[in-house]
């Protein structure tokens, strides 16, 4: 027999553990406190263990998984909320916060024993595995700010859905958008799968999975000292990405500050995701010289065609013996370079992906799951994509098939804080 979640705190105060017996999960609300000012107080799972050497701190000013050194594996999930009561959504977000803190410390959902007569509280596939530098980043999509939860007036102007951009005419709605997103990154694919699987499981009755994507082989360098990885075309891309040790660039381009029209987003960032399918077979048949012209880089060294090493300054004015620019005017490196875009930068955090064989073409279904963080999606991502979508030589070999935009609120301060706590303030009375 299943039991509905209670509408408020039990009369005797929050207990240390409280089970959501219908799903066999811990009803993890907000640690040692209440959801938004005491409207629905619930205890959560045991506090997470001390941070181990293979763990990324969960609590802090900003959510981990943004400027954190990029890990090797990704699972990204988008969900749609089915509940209509903001208290139920807040309870789920509290539950997620408690679970995420434990997962990032290498712990299961709870240390409480499972009774033989109920489903396991944790799905168990990470038993014996370390945290593997797991980070979990949660965001809110534009669709969450309709009239269901009274949040319409709290939608940031920067979260307004992006218009159809050049190169985006075949975006598939089935693998785009969502009320919520979860980005789980780690150095072990089973660890990221476990985190998303259990968070989606804990959302039952409140939200449902809309789509998800697995990623492998980071396609960006975000940590100080990380080498620039190669994409599935074999090129180094994103050489000039913002790194975690560049606090000035992070403040200028990534973290939302006092300029926001919504206080609850201060310290957060806006996530744009794009699923970009690569025409692998066609690319593999192209001449090396043409591949290098398209990117504007030497394939082997990663150096710009006007230099010898990857980080050499690009000479956009240099011309060859034929009198034409050595860096093609429509090359990827020229169109994307900050120097050619009034200094505009993004924090890229993408991953390669493969979904096997495309059922319609029989070709490899693979490419780049592009993720970027910024403080203003329009003046940053949209401005750059408009330029790239119109002229980039690379467009012959890529297709944008999925898209999404989410507002990722600031980090959680301590146990008892939860995703969107200040956003929901006033909605849970």
């Amino acid at each position: 027999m299943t039991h509905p979640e209670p509408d408020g705190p039990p009369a005797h105060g929050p207990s240390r553990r409280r089970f959501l017996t219908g799903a066999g999960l811990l009803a993890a609300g907000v640690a040692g406190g209440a959801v938004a000012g005491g409207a629905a107080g619930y205890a959560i799972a045991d506090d997470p263990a001390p941070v181990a050497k293979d763990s990324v701190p969960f609590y802090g000013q900003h959510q981990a998984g943004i400027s954190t050194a990029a890990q090797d594996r990704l699972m990204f999930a988008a969900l749609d909320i089915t509940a209509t009561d903001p208290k139920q959504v807040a309870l789920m977000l509290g539950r997620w916060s408690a679970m995420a803190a434990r997962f990032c410390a290498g712990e299961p959902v709870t240390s409480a024993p499972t009774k033989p007569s109920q489903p396991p509280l944790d799905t168990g596939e990470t038993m014996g595995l370390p945290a593997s530098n797991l980070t979990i980043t949660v965001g809110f999509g534009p669709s969450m700010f309709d009239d269901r939860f009274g949040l319409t007036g709290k939608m940031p102007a920067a979260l307004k859905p992006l218009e159809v951009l050049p190169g985006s005419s075949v975006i598939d709605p089935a693998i785009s958008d969502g009320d919520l997103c979860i980005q789980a990154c780690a150095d072990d694919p089973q660890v990221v799968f476990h985190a998303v699987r259990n968070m989606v499981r804990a959302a039952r009755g409140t939200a449902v999975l809309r789509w998800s994507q697995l990623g492998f082989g980071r396609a960006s360098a975000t940590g100080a000292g990380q080498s620039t990885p190669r994409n599935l075309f074999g090129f180094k891309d994103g050489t000039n990405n913002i790194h975690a040790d560049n606090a000035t660039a992070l403040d200028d381009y990534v973290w939302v500050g006092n300029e926001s029209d919504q206080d609850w987003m201060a310290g957060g960032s806006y996530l744009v995701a794009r699923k970009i399918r690569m025409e692998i077979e066609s690319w593999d048949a192209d001449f090396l010289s043409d591949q290098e012209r398209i990117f504007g880089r030497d394939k082997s060294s990663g150096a710009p065609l006007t230099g010898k090493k990857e980080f050499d300054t690009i000479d956009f004015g240099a011309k060859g013996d034929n009198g034409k620019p050595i860096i093609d005017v429509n090359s990827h490196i020229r169109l994307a370079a900050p120097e050619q875009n009034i200094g505009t930068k993004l924090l890229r955090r993408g991953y390669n992906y493969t979904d096997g064989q495309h059922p319609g073409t029989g070709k490899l279904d693979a490419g780049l799951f592009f993720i970027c963080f910024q403080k203003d999606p329009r003046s940053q991502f949209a401005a750059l994509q408009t330029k790239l979508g119109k002229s980039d030589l690379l467009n012959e070999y890529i297709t944008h098939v999925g898209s999404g935009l989410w507002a990722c609120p600031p980090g959680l301060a301590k146990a008892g804080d939860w995703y969107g706590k200040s956003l929901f303030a006033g909605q849970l009375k």
Side-chain angles (χ1 to χ4, degrees), residues 58-410:
F58 179 75
Y59 297 105
Q61 182 181 4
H62 310 292
Q63 287 196 62
I66 300 177
S67 62
T68 307
Q71 305 95 318
D72 289 334
R73 302 287 177 159
L74 162 81
M75 187 167 183
F76 193 96
L79 297 91
D80 285 333
I81 298 172
T82 55
T84 57
D85 184 350
K87 292 182 181 180
Q88 192 172 351
V89 179
L91 179 60
M92 182 196 72
L93 293 171
R95 205 179 294 142
W96 277 8
S97 303
M99 295 171 70
R102 288 185 58 82
F103 293 158
C104 291
E107 298 293 322
V109 170
T110 176
S111 60
T114 299
K115 297 178 180 179
S117 59
Q118 65 183 173
L121 305 175
D122 186 285
T123 53
E125 65 269 30
T126 55
M127 286 192 290
L129 295 179
S132 300
N133 296 307
L134 173 68
T135 57
I136 296 173
T137 313
V138 170
F140 306 133
S143 56
M144 186 171 164
F145 294 83
D146 54 19
D147 57 3
R148 287 174 293 173
F149 313 115
L151 300 176
T152 304
K154 292 189 175 183
M155 179 175 172
L159 191 60
K160 182 181 178 182
L162 298 174
E163 298 177 356
V164 177
L165 302 173
S168 307
S169 59
V170 295
I171 295 291
D172 183 356
I175 50 174
S176 299
D177 305 321
D179 291 337
L180 299 163
C181 77
I182 303 170
Q183 175 196 269
C185 302
D187 294 321
D188 187 318
Q190 194 135 316
V191 170
V192 295
F193 178 82
H194 170 266
V196 173
R197 174 186 181 182
N198 281 272
M199 290 174 73
V200 171
R201 185 185 186 211
R204 290 177 185 171
T206 304
V208 295
L209 185 66
R210 179 181 175 91
W211 58 270
S212 64
Q213 181 65 55
L214 287 168
F216 69 93
R218 62 179 177 85
S220 303
T222 58
Q226 282 189 319
S227 61
T228 307
R230 295 182 183 273
N231 58 31
L232 295 186
F233 284 158
F235 276 79
K236 291 192 172 188
D237 193 18
T239 291
N240 295 315
N241 196 26
I242 298 172
H243 287 176
D245 61 338
N246 192 339
T248 299
L250 289 170
D251 287 338
D252 288 345
Y253 299 106
V254 180
W255 305 128
V256 176
N258 295 329
E259 77 281 352
S260 175
D261 58 331
Q262 297 293 341
D263 292 343
W264 66 266
M265 266 300 289
S269 190
Y270 292 95
L271 184 162
V272 173
R274 284 281 169 121
K275 185 172 183 177
I276 304 174
R277 188 171 64 232
M278 292 178 167
E279 301 298 335
I280 301 290
E281 291 84 354
S282 297
W283 178 262
D284 291 344
D286 195 15
F287 298 132
L288 174 61
S289 59
D290 193 49
Q291 291 184 356
E292 292 181 334
R293 179 179 71 92
I294 290 170
F295 271 97
R297 290 189 179 276
D298 179 88
K299 190 168 188 175
S300 177
S301 67
L305 294 181
T306 57
K308 295 183 178 180
K309 297 180 180 179
E310 179 187 353
F311 295 98
D312 284 351
T313 300
I314 305 169
D315 185 354
F316 291 108
K319 295 184 178 180
D321 295 337
N322 59 3
K324 295 181 179 180
I326 294 176
I327 305 293
D328 194 288
V329 295
N330 291 317
S331 65
H332 187 69
I333 191 176
R334 181 187 286 268
L335 295 177
E339 300 91 330
Q340 303 295 308
N341 294 280
I342 58 173
T344 301
K345 293 184 178 181
L346 301 166
L347 175 60
R348 297 173 47 142
R349 198 181 171 85
Y351 286 83
N352 301 315
Y353 79 86
T354 178
D355 292 338
Q357 186 180 39
H358 192 281
T361 65
K363 297 180 180 179
L364 285 172
D365 190 354
L368 171 67
F369 191 76
F370 175 88
I371 298 172
C372 66
F373 289 92
Q374 62 259 283
K375 64 166 54 182
D376 184 354
R378 273 169 185 73
S379 65
Q380 293 174 266
F381 171 78
L384 289 172
Q385 177 54 34
T386 296
K387 192 172 182 180
L388 291 167
K390 288 179 177 179
S391 308
D392 194 351
L393 292 171
L394 194 57
N395 291 338
E396 181 180 353
Y397 298 97
I398 62 174
T399 305
H400 290 236
V401 295
S403 181
L405 168 65
W406 293 270
C408 299

